[in-house]
Amino acid sequence: MKIKLSDHFTYKKIFAFVLPPVIMMVITSIYGVVDGFFISNCVGKPEFAAINLVYPFIMILGGTGFMIGTGGTALVSKTLGEGDEKRANELFTMMITFCVLLGVLLTVFGIVFIRPICKILKATDEMMGDCVLYGSIVIAFTPFFMLQSNFHSFLSAAEKPRMGLVVTIIAGCTNAVLDALFIVVFKWELVGAALATGIGQVVGGVIPFLYFVKPNKSRLKFVKPKLEFKPILQACTNGSSELLTNVSSSIVSMLYNVQLMLFYKEDGVAAYGVLMYVQFIFVAIEIGYSIGMAPVVGYNYGAQNKPELQNVFKKSITTMSICGIVLTGAAELLAVPLAKFFVGYDKVLFDLTVDAFRIYSFVFIFSGINIFSSGFFTALNNGLVSAILSFLRALVFQTLFVFLLPALFGAEGIWYASIATESLAFITSVIFLLALKNKYEYIKTRKSADLGKTMELND
């Protein structure tokens, strides 16, 4: 079924359109999960704790790609909605060029500063070597990771989400197969895990790049590259919420690890690593939906099609609400089997992970609405509101509760911190959505309903 950005979106069309980016995000999230599984079960618990300690820093660097991709897609989609395809292609080419250049700079920065960063993260002497080894290799592939993140968003705007899905499946399978080969067969341990992840990212970044280099039938094409400061700044501002989310989440993960080392030592970091793997996959569903719908929102905003904007908003809020309940139930049901899958070899660690899982699973009730709200304002090219929502949710509230709740309730309070965060973030999201509904008219009013009837009669 060919779906265009200008279509009227029923639930069937929405699910068909967002399914590829959802699966793409899930598979991308599985990269780290696959590494974690093989390292935990085939290498050892200290190495497993080491990669979980350094992984947030890696995500801070790679998360810049999400900023350029989501912010750039919002700008490109809006331009397409305004009918200027030539300018949209110029903007698209500019964003990809900027992504590659920035990726190279971040790679150099990351490799130079990885050791002092690991010291700040309280890596023990025994963990330091493993943290630096794994982190340095994965960081070397940062430009490809950023490209892959960019194309996740731009392929939806190009009306080629299925291609993005196929590429991501190939990249994910590459990562999994190489993990098994390098770690289990060749016994390369952390080096093998890092190389498998990096090579998977090369596949995910290079294939879409080659597609757009050649003549294609999508809505987006590469043209002669040039760099303009204003559009890049606008795209970065639009996508700043995604960068803030990645950076803040990574910083908070570091704070969690510091607290967990204090209360639970190595076992706490390992247990939290399992929770993060599950969160990566579950939240990837919600992020994938938000990424998939962003071009639709941006296009209809640019075309001033308010009735369709209202339709997409209403259906998305309903979908994210149901998704949150389903994911929470799934997390509760999967607590024991997933803990056994990752750390079943250690009884103490297994019990700690299950207990943490039972508490932590309730974060998914509100996370979908919170993620969509931020992405929705990005698609509307309101990067400021999107950034405020992300900053409060991902950094301010998390930092507050990760220190406050353990101080009040002891070690177990750590696992409740994210629940308190998502609850408060939900209230904040609702406040902003209601406060700006008249400006963007994404909630149906009598005036907009009359406009919609007039458009139907004209059709």
Side-chain angles (χ1 to χ4, degrees), residues 338-352:
L338 286 175
K340 186 173 294 185
F341 181 74
F342 282 100
V343 293
Y345 56 83
D346 188 309
K347 179 68 166 59
V348 174
L349 180 55
F350 169 79
D351 290 340
L352 175 62

Side-chain angles (χ1 to χ4, degrees), residues 217-424:
K217 296 181 180 180
S218 77
R219 295 202 66 170
L220 295 178
K221 299 172 179 62
F222 282 147
V223 295
K224 186 177 180 179
K226 59 180 180 179
L227 294 178
E228 300 175 37
F229 179 75
K230 186 176 179 181
I232 290 175
L233 179 62
Q234 186 177 353
C236 291
T237 302
N238 286 342
S240 60
S241 61
E242 278 63 34
L243 176 62
L244 280 172
T245 297
N246 275 280
V247 172
S248 300
S249 297
S250 297
I251 291 173
V252 168
S253 293
M254 296 174 187
L255 295 178
Y256 267 90
N257 285 332
V258 169
Q259 287 284 78
L260 289 163
M261 286 292 286
L262 177 64
F263 285 100
Y264 295 110
K265 303 301 180 185
E266 205 173 77
D267 281 352
V269 175
Y272 182 65
V274 176
L275 297 188
M276 288 302 97
Y277 290 153
V278 176
Q279 187 210 35
F280 290 159
I281 296 173
F282 280 18
V283 170
I285 297 172
E286 299 164 339
I287 295 175
Y289 182 93
S290 182
I291 289 175
M293 291 309 297
V296 181
V297 173
Y299 181 91
N300 285 289
Y301 173 59
Q304 291 297 295
N305 187 350
K306 299 298 173 60
E308 185 59 24
L309 186 62
Q310 293 159 9
N311 167 61
V312 170
F313 175 76
K314 180 180 179 180
K315 286 182 168 63
S316 294
I317 291 295
T318 302
T319 301
M320 287 292 92
S321 299
I322 296 172
C323 181
I325 296 171
V326 172
L327 290 179
T328 297
E332 286 289 324
L333 291 173
L334 294 173
V336 172
L338 286 175
K340 186 173 294 185
F341 181 74
F342 282 100
V343 293
Y345 56 83
D346 188 309
K347 179 68 166 59
V348 174
L349 180 55
F350 169 79
D351 290 340
L352 175 62
T353 303
V354 171
D355 291 341
F357 226 124
R358 298 292 192 196
I359 299 170
Y360 190 86
S361 61
F362 289 95
V363 303
F364 302 114
I365 291 180
F366 294 128
S367 62
I369 296 291
N370 295 333
I371 289 169
F372 174 76
S373 298
S374 177
F376 183 68
F377 284 111
T378 296
L380 292 174
N381 285 257
N382 192 331
L384 177 61
V385 170
S386 181
I388 291 172
L389 290 176
S390 296
F391 180 70
L392 290 175
R393 170 179 173 260
L395 184 60
V396 176
F397 298 156
Q398 286 271 25
T399 302
L400 171 66
F401 290 123
V402 77
F403 287 105
L404 177 62
L405 296 186
L408 294 176
F409 305 109
E412 196 172 74
I414 296 176
W415 312 122
Y416 286 97
S418 291
I419 300 174
T421 293
E422 295 293 350
S423 301
L424 192 53

Side-chain angles (χ1 to χ4, degrees), residues 27 29 40 69 75 134 170 197 332 338 350 422 428 450:
I27 292 175
S29 300
S40 179
L75 185 58
Y134 179 84
I170 294 172
T197 295
E332 286 289 324
L338 286 175
F350 169 79
E422 295 293 350
T428 307
D450 291 340

Side-chain angles (χ1 to χ4, degrees), residues 173-213:
C173 290
T174 300
N175 179 48
V177 171
L178 291 181
D179 261 325
L181 180 65
F182 292 164
I183 297 174
V184 179
V185 179
F186 293 167
K187 307 296 183 183
W188 289 353
E189 299 186 343
L190 289 180
V191 173
L195 287 174
T197 295
I199 294 171
Q201 291 167 354
V202 171
V203 172
V206 170
I207 293 178
F209 183 85
L210 294 177
Y211 171 78
F212 285 112
V213 165

Side-chain angles (χ1 to χ4, degrees), residues 400-452:
L400 171 66
F401 290 123
V402 77
F403 287 105
L404 177 62
L405 296 186
L408 294 176
F409 305 109
E412 196 172 74
I414 296 176
W415 312 122
Y416 286 97
S418 291
I419 300 174
T421 293
E422 295 293 350
S423 301
L424 192 53
F426 173 76
I427 295 172
T428 307
S429 296
V430 171
I431 290 172
F432 273 98
L433 288 171
L434 293 178
L436 295 171
K437 63 184 178 66
N438 291 331
K439 178 178 180 180
Y440 296 105
E441 299 181 48
Y442 45 75
I443 296 178
K444 185 177 291 187
T445 61
R446 178 172 295 182
K447 177 182 176 181
S448 61
D450 291 340
L451 175 61

